[in-house]
Amino acid sequence: MYTKDELRQFRTDFWNQFNLKMKKIKSSSGRKMNWLAYPSDVKDIYIRIDTDGKGARLTFDIQGKDEGVRQILWEQLQELKIVMESEMGTDGIWIENASSLSVPKFNRILWERNDLNFFKPEDHTEIQNFLADRLIHFDAFYQEFKDILINLAM
């Protein structure tokens, strides 16, 4: 078991190492990218990466308070599902009307690996490879279609 300070350092070291790995990689649009805080350029759309003792994941969340806008964005993504999953190389998990303690209602697309454990240092390379691969493929899709989402969200 880790102390609070050890856990903070463990997480900091992991994400710093991941950031160094990704720093060399540009977006498919050619611009430098902050991969740890992927910019959606759309209000209420969040792209996040995460890892813990249960796995590693990339999530695409639509968290708009306006139910109508959230539904329009969700429907558009469903229209693009085949293109998105083709680019990703794998099917995502599509969750309509999810909820959490901080967000009462949102839609989510999720790519994850449940066979990895952040607390096992021997899994760190595989976690980083998985997250990097998912982000790069997602970026290729997102850069091509984000203008559609931006226009729908206005």
Side-chain angles (χ1 to χ4, degrees):
M1 205 61 165
Y2 297 101
T3 67
K4 190 175 180 179
D5 288 338
E6 288 172 332
L7 184 57
R8 184 178 322 120
Q9 189 61 50
F10 193 66
R11 288 185 189 284
T12 299
D13 291 347
F14 174 84
W15 290 113
N16 284 342
Q17 185 181 24
F18 183 73
N19 196 33
L20 282 173
K21 173 184 181 120
M22 296 302 290
K23 203 171 210 115
K24 305 170 197 156
I25 302 169
K26 290 185 177 181
S27 169
S28 64
S29 67
R31 72 180 200 195
K32 288 184 114 178
M33 183 67 73
N34 179 357
W35 295 100
L36 293 178
Y38 190 94
S40 73
D41 299 325
V42 180
K43 182 181 180 223
D44 300 322
I45 289 183
Y46 302 93
I47 294 99
R48 297 182 177 107
I49 54 174
D50 185 40
T51 184
D52 55 27
K54 297 177 183 177
R57 65 206 57 82
L58 167 69
T59 60
F60 179 99
D61 291 349
I62 305 170
Q63 297 181 348
K65 292 179 177 107
D66 183 323
E67 174 95 24
V69 172
R70 194 174 77 240
Q71 195 59 36
I72 288 169
L73 291 169
W74 185 250
E75 288 170 5
Q76 182 61 59
L77 286 166
Q78 288 179 316
E79 300 252 339
L80 295 169
K81 183 177 183 175
I82 292 171
V83 176
M84 177 189 277
E85 292 184 343
S86 174
E87 178 58 48
M88 295 298 287
T90 184
D91 293 349
I93 299 167
W94 294 66
I95 306 167
E96 189 171 9
N97 299 320
S99 65
S100 70
L101 293 174
S102 59
V103 182
K105 202 171 192 183
F106 63 96
N107 298 343
R108 170 174 280 175
I109 307 169
L110 166 74
W111 295 270
E112 69 181 332
R113 285 214 24 208
N114 294 318
D115 62 326
L116 300 171
N117 184 338
F118 173 74
F119 300 105
K120 291 183 178 177
E122 62 270 19
D123 283 356
H124 282 193
T125 300
E126 190 64 27
I127 291 169
Q128 290 179 358
N129 290 341
F130 169 74
L131 293 175
D133 183 64
R134 294 298 88 214
L135 278 168
I136 292 165
H137 284 286
F138 176 81
D139 178 68
F141 164 80
Y142 196 72
Q143 294 304 316
E144 186 165 338
F145 294 100
K146 76 176 177 182
D147 289 339
I148 294 169
L149 300 176
I150 289 170
N151 289 329
L152 288 173
M154 293 179 148

